[in-house]
Amino acid sequence: MKSPVFKAAAALLVGAALLAPAAEAQQPKHGGTLRFVMKYEPPTLSALNNTSTPTTSAKVWDGLVTYDADLKPLPMLATSWSLSPDGLQYTFSLREGVTFHDGKPFTSADVAFSILRLKAGHPRGRGTFANVTEVKTPDAKTAVIVLSKPSPYLMVALGPSESPIVPKHVFESFDVATPPGPPQHIGTGPFVLKEWVRGSHAVLDRNPNYWDKPKPYLDRVIVRFMPDAAARAAAFEAGDLDLGGLAPVPLSDMERYKNHPRLAVDTRSFAYTGAQNQIFFNLDTPILKEKKVREAIAHALDLQAIVDTVFYGYAKVSPSPISVALSTWYDPAVQPRKFDVNIANKLLDEAGHPRAANGMRFPLRLLFNPFIDARLAEFVRQSLRRVGIDATTQNLEFGAYVKGVYTDRAFDLTIESLTNVFDPTVGVQRGYWSKNFRVGLPFSNSAHYENPEVDRLLEAAAVEVDPAKRKELFSQFQRIVHADVPSVDLVSPLEVIIANKKIRNYARGAEGLGDNFSDVHFVD
Amino acid sequence: MLENRRLLRVLRRTVLQAVPTILGIIILNFLLLKLAPGDAADVMAGEFGAATEETMAMLRQRFGLDVPVLQQLLAYLSNLAQFSLGQSPRYGVPVSELIGQRLPSTLMLMVMALAIAFGLGIALGTAMALTAGRWPDRVLSLVSLFFYSVPGFWIGLMLIVLFSVKLNWLPSGGQETIGAGLTGLDYALDRLKHMILPATSLALFYVAIYGRLTRAAVLEVSSQDYVRTAAAKGLPPLAITLRHVIRNALLPVTTLAGIHLGGILGGAVVIETVYSWPGLGRLAFESVTRRDFNVLLGVLLLSSFLVIIANTLVDLLHAWLDPRVEVR
């Protein structure tokens, strides 16, 4: 086999492989239409007062900064920034020569307006920007965010998909809470909204005046809204779609796309989403007040089996209240409780819940967020039955689910998808902070978990400017919560993307498909 | 002259009957919808994934959900009295605008589906009746039984797999080639191409029904005296079938078609979902899950109008098909 000819051929092949990316990197090709699919149609394409639309918003509106995969800020509308030593003033130098889609120049007044509007109307912005007292604009190209308390998470909350910078002259007279319609879709972003046919699609055309020349490379992005998984699968197969995220086709079908001639499966986790699935215990249920019962339930669940069977491998075991997707803050010392039915049985016996004649110890009501695959609920139900807990699942649609858990509190266990977003203070604290036990408020502290030490750690971490000290606070938080078991953290689902093999750079940084697509191009 | 007056009388009576019917539909629907757990604010706050109590209160106030149910109903009715369907708080646009965008798509799909169901069903039924008991009848009976028993979404998916994925003849979904900027005849053809598969999927169930119905009616009519008379006076078989048999056999089919109109609107939800068709059915379905009740009530109201109008049309069609039928 190892003839000189073979070696030469191998060398040539390796050479070609090395050359190919280099040639590609030279100058991306201009032109082409990207057909992007979303599962649900958001009420507005803007993220200004709605958090269900990060992917569309980022194409039309830029943020002050964007992020690499590790959440390191990169310049966008701001070219540089600095933080005062006391952590109370962020100063941003803004990019010169940027105009909005309507031709008006972008200035610091727009930044000041946007930050305050996000504070007033963005569902998460009310929390993220709560400490913002004012935004100073010493000149047209400088904006200073002034805080009453340090907010270490602020710098990761300024991406285009989370905090769009909107034109003051358009939104000044526009209601804070009304979803922006097409006339308000004016930003500085790489794409301009051309049409939006509700229930069908939106067409975004290339912004020829985009500041980051020669980008964007694409002529057009078509966003299609297709609620049916089978329809999306068919459209991918028929060549009618190029890109879709959040597992656009059922995971059970994914195998077919792995060896597809035209399509590729791309699995990653993005720090900006911080995907996490967990079980919350209702600590108001008498039987669940007993820690041994909660520990027994944790021991009864095989997390790796959940990854392998329910998620077909498209998830990572994520045993801590802070998702493994947030690698900066996740504490690897927190490991899953050992999967062992015997330990679980023993703990339940010790807690004084012997099996009755039918083999069952006690019943529990198990709910699950309908955006989670029902098979996860089925898995948990069967695991609990194995140790004698007679769990009954109820399949509720979203409105009924939210009311059932957060208003009526008519549950014992609920499988939630409390994503960690981009920072634990923003995404994790809400589930464990005793002051956020608020009946009627979706995605609050559903367990009714109260631990003064946890409260203290969370509150300290929220204002700690030193990253190392903050990490230590979050580590302590994770260890205490893991020991207290108000929740069993399960897995972090991967973002499963299906993409045409000929497109490049659709998810460059931490924001995943919330990328602005300015760098997306087709290759031959 | 007399004919016109009679028609006017019919219209007046239809309107008089429609008003209490529609009022009943609105009130009943409104109260039923209020029974659903959770409201629009719950759903929106849930979708946000993060909200504060102030956000919730603001949403409820903006949606008009912070007042008692009866007051909400009265507010809705008073809106209606001013010919306004209200606003969709979720989208922030008037309900009439949302419905106006979707109505043409749904109507086209419905008309096309009904046309296919009617045309194909009657042809199939006549063919079955004319070959009653022989193999073409048996085969067609089997086919229509198949159409009758398989669910619409499955047929839809199978048609997509065959005609879009495998053969690549027709588009897999949507109602036009997005962003192609076609005009005139090209545009019309493009729309037609997109409509073939969804309309067929929607129609096949009704093809089966109309086929069976036509078969039975044609068999019955064929044994009537006037058919024998027509044959006796030497009319060719085709003329007998078309002029004397089918025309009479159509009566039960048209009656049923009027009733089916509501059913087709309902079936459209599934087909619109499978084919990503931006129609009323999906709008209604999504409004339910999002508790966007203004939109839903608007759609229901419009659907009841459509059914009432269709039934009036069927009455008139009856009178035309059979001169003996008095327009009631």
Side-chain angles (χ1 to χ4, degrees):
Chain A
M1 264 309 273
K2 293 224 170 140
S3 67
V5 177
F6 174 79
K7 274 185 191 158
L12 262 177
L13 274 174
V14 171
L18 285 173
L19 275 174
E24 213 171 80
Q26 275 174 6
Q27 185 55 54
K29 194 174 70 159
H30 274 272
T33 297
L34 179 79
R35 294 156 307 167
F36 175 59
V37 67
M38 283 176 69
K39 294 182 179 179
Y40 308 103
E41 181 176 39
T44 165
L45 306 183
S46 157
L48 184 61
N49 55 14
N50 195 311
T51 48
S52 50
T53 54
T55 42
T56 49
S57 192
K59 280 62 178 174
V60 180
W61 289 276
D62 289 322
L64 280 175
V65 295
T66 182
Y67 304 95
D68 71 1
D70 298 320
L71 276 180
K72 185 172 143 300
L74 303 171
M76 205 169 202
L77 285 177
T79 48
S80 65
W81 49 89
S82 61
L83 174 63
S84 65
D86 58 1
L88 294 176
Q89 280 199 14
Y90 285 91
T91 306
F92 295 91
S93 301
L94 305 177
R95 195 174 290 280
E96 300 276 347
V98 178
T99 55
F100 285 102
H101 298 161
D102 60 1
K104 301 256 171 65
F106 155 76
T107 69
S108 55
D110 299 305
V111 175
F113 174 81
S114 302
I115 298 295
L116 295 176
R117 180 53 73 92
L118 287 162
K119 183 187 175 185
H122 188 277
R124 234 175 349 240
R126 283 163 183 268
T128 318
F129 299 110
N131 302 333
V132 175
T133 49
E134 62 171 327
V135 183
K136 288 193 204 153
T137 50
D139 63 66
K141 291 297 161 199
T142 309
V144 183
I145 299 181
V146 183
L147 303 166
S148 58
K149 276 190 274 179
S151 309
Y153 43 86
L154 194 84
M155 209 49 226
V156 279
L158 298 173
S161 63
E162 176 75 8
S163 301
I165 299 300
V166 301
K168 182 182 179 194
H169 62 272
V170 173
F171 282 89
E172 207 167 19
S173 55
F174 190 75
D175 179 48
V176 175
T178 304
Q184 285 82 39
H185 281 58
I186 292 169
T188 56
F191 294 95
V192 184
L193 179 68
K194 176 158 179 278
E195 65 167 1
W196 177 15
V197 179
R198 284 202 175 82
S200 170
H201 66 271
V203 177
L204 302 168
D205 275 350
R206 181 174 190 270
N207 175 6
N209 303 317
Y210 192 53
W211 51 265
D212 195 6
K213 287 191 187 349
K215 296 168 188 173
Y217 299 117
L218 293 171
D219 286 335
R220 174 172 279 184
V221 176
I222 291 172
V223 185
R224 288 184 63 184
F225 310 110
M226 300 175 71
D228 188 53
R232 290 191 296 270
F236 268 114
E237 296 256 343
D240 292 340
L241 293 174
D242 296 313
L243 182 65
L246 298 169
V249 306
L251 291 178
S252 50
D253 288 358
M254 210 58 80
E255 205 56 37
R256 275 196 301 140
Y257 294 86
K258 279 191 173 163
N259 299 313
H260 200 280
R262 199 162 25 77
L263 301 166
V265 177
D266 175 4
T267 51
R268 285 184 260 173
S269 43
F270 295 105
Y272 225 69
T273 325
Q276 177 79 349
N277 288 350
Q278 63 280 84
I279 296 174
F280 280 104
F281 295 107
N282 185 347
L283 298 177
D284 293 333
T285 300
I287 226 165
L288 293 175
K289 284 191 199 294
E290 180 96 43
K291 189 172 151 193
K292 278 188 177 165
V293 173
R294 306 199 299 271
E295 278 181 311
I297 289 174
H299 280 292
L301 296 166
D302 185 350
L303 303 192
Q304 190 56 47
I306 292 179
V307 168
D308 294 339
T309 58
V310 176
F311 288 92
Y312 295 90
Y314 296 103
K316 287 185 206 157
V317 169
S318 185
S320 165
I322 295 182
S323 168
V324 291
L326 255 68
S327 50
T328 322
W329 309 110
Y330 164 65
D331 181 358
V334 176
Q335 285 299 320
R337 283 187 170 73
K338 189 173 177 244
F339 165 62
D340 190 331
V341 178
N342 295 328
I343 298 179
N345 277 321
K346 191 165 148 274
L347 282 166
L348 288 168
D349 287 337
E350 281 171 16
H353 302 290
R355 287 182 191 258
N358 65 355
M360 289 297 151
R361 301 171 192 271
F362 51 84
L364 284 179
R365 296 163 296 172
L366 173 65
L367 295 188
F368 62 99
N369 185 325
F371 283 99
I372 295 172
D373 195 328
R375 295 180 322 122
L376 178 55
E378 193 47 39
F379 184 99
V380 172
R381 192 182 74 87
Q382 289 179 11
S383 301
L384 293 184
R385 288 185 71 84
R386 265 178 89 184
V387 295
I389 296 173
D390 183 13
T392 46
T393 50
Q394 222 184 327
N395 202 342
L396 299 174
E397 47 94 54
F398 193 61
Y401 168 77
V402 168
K403 179 125 190 301
V405 170
Y406 293 96
T407 304
D408 301 341
R409 294 186 60 73
F411 74 103
D412 299 317
L413 306 171
T414 180
I415 307 177
E416 254 305 355
S417 165
L418 198 76
T419 57
N420 291 176
V421 206
F422 40 79
D423 185 89
T425 297
V426 181
V428 180
Q429 179 175 330
R430 53 188 173 155
Y432 300 92
W433 190 34
S434 73
K435 289 170 194 159
N436 201 36
F437 171 68
R438 296 182 183 186
V439 173
L441 184 67
F443 302 106
S444 52
N445 179 349
S446 58
H448 197 179
Y449 176 55
E450 284 176 329
N451 183 333
E453 179 59 10
V454 163
D455 288 353
R456 187 192 68 78
L457 290 168
L458 287 172
E459 285 160 23
V463 294
E464 178 55 64
V465 193
D466 181 350
K469 284 187 194 154
R470 194 160 182 247
K471 190 171 165 68
E472 180 49 34
L473 290 168
F474 279 132
S475 287
Q476 286 182 40
F477 158 79
Q478 290 173 74
R479 287 172 205 177
I480 294 177
V481 169
H482 190 69
D484 278 355
V485 220
S487 60
V488 183
D489 283 271
L490 305 171
V491 298
S492 174
L494 295 175
E495 168 111 23
V496 183
I497 297 170
I498 291 189
N500 185 332
K501 281 181 178 164
K502 291 199 168 143
I503 57 170
R504 295 288 179 273
N505 293 349
Y506 47 81
R508 289 171 295 175
E511 292 172 275
L513 291 178
D515 191 294
N516 70 3
F517 283 5
S518 67
D519 212 11
V520 177
H521 56 270
F522 283 89
V523 294
D524 297 318
Chain B
M1 192 56 201
L2 198 71
E3 184 80 359
N4 280 349
R5 231 180 23 229
R6 209 176 56 178
L7 267 179
L8 269 178
R9 218 169 46 228
V10 173
L11 277 179
R12 204 176 58 210
R13 187 178 312 142
T14 313
V15 169
L16 280 180
Q17 284 172 349
V19 168
T21 311
I22 286 173
L23 206 66
I25 288 171
I26 293 168
I27 294 176
L28 197 72
N29 281 329
F30 189 91
L31 296 176
L32 270 179
L33 294 180
K34 286 291 161 197
L35 287 179
D39 59 20
D42 280 325
V43 173
M44 275 197 96
E47 283 177 350
F48 288 162
T52 57
E53 277 160 329
E54 298 83 63
T55 316
M56 300 282 288
M58 186 189 72
L59 286 173
R60 290 222 163 83
Q61 194 218 336
R62 222 161 56 77
F63 296 2
L65 294 168
D66 53 347
V67 296
V69 173
L70 202 64
Q71 208 174 322
Q72 291 177 33
L73 175 62
L74 288 177
Y76 186 78
L77 289 176
S78 96
N79 256 343
L80 272 189
Q82 296 160 44
F83 295 101
S84 158
L85 290 172
Q87 284 259 337
S88 159
R90 185 185 169 79
Y91 287 99
V93 293
V95 171
S96 50
E97 189 187 317
L98 281 177
I99 291 181
Q101 287 168 346
R102 309 283 187 104
L103 185 64
S105 316
T106 291
L107 277 184
M108 270 190 329
L109 189 64
M110 225 167 67
V111 168
M112 179 120 168
L114 259 184
I116 293 175
F118 234 68
L120 216 60
I122 291 167
L124 215 70
T126 314
M128 282 194 284
L130 294 181
T131 60
R134 282 180 282 139
W135 68 263
D137 176 35
R138 295 277 160 78
V139 172
L140 290 175
S141 290
L142 209 68
V143 170
S144 69
L145 193 69
F146 177 74
F147 289 159
Y148 185 76
S149 45
V150 296
F153 74 90
W154 187 82
I155 285 261
L157 283 174
M158 290 306 114
L159 289 177
I160 295 178
V161 168
L162 181 62
F163 289 103
S164 345
V165 178
K166 297 284 175 220
L167 297 173
N168 221 346
W169 289 354
L170 292 167
S172 63
Q175 61 165 355
E176 60 185 309
T177 306
I178 298 163
L182 300 172
T183 49
L185 190 65
D186 287 338
Y187 179 68
L189 279 176
D190 182 56
R191 292 294 292 262
L192 193 69
K193 255 172 76 176
H194 280 81
M195 220 176 351
I196 293 174
L197 289 185
T200 310
S201 319
L202 192 54
L204 283 179
F205 175 77
Y206 298 97
V207 167
I209 295 184
Y210 299 153
R212 300 297 304 178
L213 212 65
T214 309
R215 180 182 183 274
V218 167
L219 281 180
E220 194 196 321
V221 171
S222 302
S223 59
Q224 297 285 330
D225 290 345
Y226 55 81
V227 175
R228 203 171 334 131
T229 312
K233 78 178 179 188
L235 275 182
L238 189 66
I240 299 175
T241 310
L242 288 181
R243 243 191 100 65
H244 296 277
V245 177
I246 291 189
R247 190 162 171 183
N248 283 293
L250 275 182
L251 289 175
V253 181
T254 49
T255 313
L256 219 60
I259 300 169
H260 281 161
L261 204 95
I264 288 191
L265 268 180
V269 179
V270 174
I271 296 300
E272 283 171 7
T273 306
V274 171
Y275 286 97
S276 317
W277 188 268
L280 272 185
R282 249 176 71 199
L283 183 67
F285 178 70
E286 283 163 10
S287 310
V288 178
T289 54
R290 286 153 183 182
R291 307 285 189 270
D292 197 348
F293 291 152
N294 274 0
V295 175
L296 187 60
L297 284 169
V299 176
L300 291 173
L301 190 66
L302 188 84
S303 311
S304 39
F305 269 128
L306 278 181
V307 170
I308 288 171
I309 291 171
N311 279 313
T312 313
L313 286 177
V314 168
D315 279 352
L316 295 172
L317 190 69
H318 259 183
W320 175 73
L321 282 172
D322 186 349
R324 292 169 307 177
V325 172
E326 267 283 303
V327 176
R328 285 179 296 108

